[in-house]
């Protein structure tokens, strides 16, 4: 099920959708979760975390940091627009949003984890302000 399909499934609330996503994670999500869980980077991450009417792939509430993994669907025009609107909203809630391509997680996990570690040690944006950037990493 893609992000657009899940977002359009009006029969389920956000919490139910998040539970479904946790049970059906992608290979890239599984790889990154193994690198983030148990506070391996010194902070707690949650996976498939509901934030208002959106679901973040990975979220560190303490650092106001969201990590999103993008598969091929994220190259389609409708999904790009949805992602931009979503990122703008989440940044407006004070979150920094960092995006990685699935292939980067699968092929260069060390670089992905290093980028996340750097974001963790960076100063937090002021409450209600995002970083203004929509960062897409990898290829």
């Amino acid at each position: 099920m893609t992000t657009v399909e899940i977002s359009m499934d009006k029969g389920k609330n956000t919490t139910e959708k998040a539970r479904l996503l946790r049970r059906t994670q992608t290979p890239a999500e599984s790889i990154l979760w193994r690198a983030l869980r148990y506070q391996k980077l010194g902070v707690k991450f949650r996976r498939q975390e509901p934030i208002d009417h959106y679901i973040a792939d990975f979220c560190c509430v303490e650092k106001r940091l969201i990590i999103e993994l993008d598969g091929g669907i994220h190259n389609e025009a409708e999904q790009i627009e949805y992602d931009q609107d979503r990122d703008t909203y989440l940044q407006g809630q004070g979150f920094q949003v960092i995006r990685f391509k699935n292939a980067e997680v699968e092929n260069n996990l060390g670089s992905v984890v290093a980028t996340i570690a750097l974001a963790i040690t960076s100063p937090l944006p002021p409450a209600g302000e995002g970083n203004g950037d929509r960062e897409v990493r990898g290829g």
Side-chain angles (χ1 to χ4, degrees):
M1 198 175 283
T2 67
T3 304
V4 172
E5 290 171 331
I6 289 170
S7 68
M8 296 186 156
D9 182 1
K10 303 297 183 195
K12 292 190 167 123
N13 68 33
T14 306
T15 302
E16 290 171 339
K17 291 176 195 175
R19 286 184 187 131
L20 173 65
L21 288 169
R22 283 184 212 116
R23 289 191 305 266
T24 59
Q25 65 185 345
T26 66
E29 289 170 341
S30 180
I31 290 167
L32 187 56
W33 181 237
R34 283 193 303 269
L36 297 177
R37 67 190 304 189
Y38 303 125
Q39 299 187 20
K40 289 179 183 172
L41 294 178
V43 294
K44 180 179 180 173
F45 276 90
R46 300 173 184 172
R47 65 187 171 118
Q48 304 303 339
E49 178 68 11
I51 300 172
D52 295 335
H53 56 283
Y54 294 109
I55 300 172
D57 287 342
F58 302 95
C59 180
C60 176
V61 175
E62 172 189 351
K63 295 295 183 174
R64 309 291 293 172
L65 177 63
I66 292 173
I67 309 300
E68 288 295 318
L69 301 186
D70 294 342
I73 186 82
H74 294 271
N75 295 324
E76 296 179 13
E78 181 181 358
Q79 188 66 42
I80 290 169
E81 183 178 340
Y82 176 86
D83 288 345
Q84 289 171 339
D85 291 345
R86 181 178 182 278
D87 289 355
T88 299
Y89 176 83
L90 293 169
Q91 289 166 351
Q93 301 305 306
F95 287 94
Q96 177 184 7
V97 179
I98 303 175
R99 293 184 165 275
F100 297 97
K101 299 285 187 182
N102 285 348
E104 186 171 7
V105 171
E106 293 165 351
N107 300 318
N108 196 2
L109 182 61
S111 175
V112 169
V113 171
T115 300
I116 295 168
L118 181 61
I120 288 169
T121 60
S122 298
L124 296 173
E129 296 180 23
N131 66 353
D133 295 331
R134 178 174 189 272
E135 182 174 340
V136 178
R137 309 266 315 170

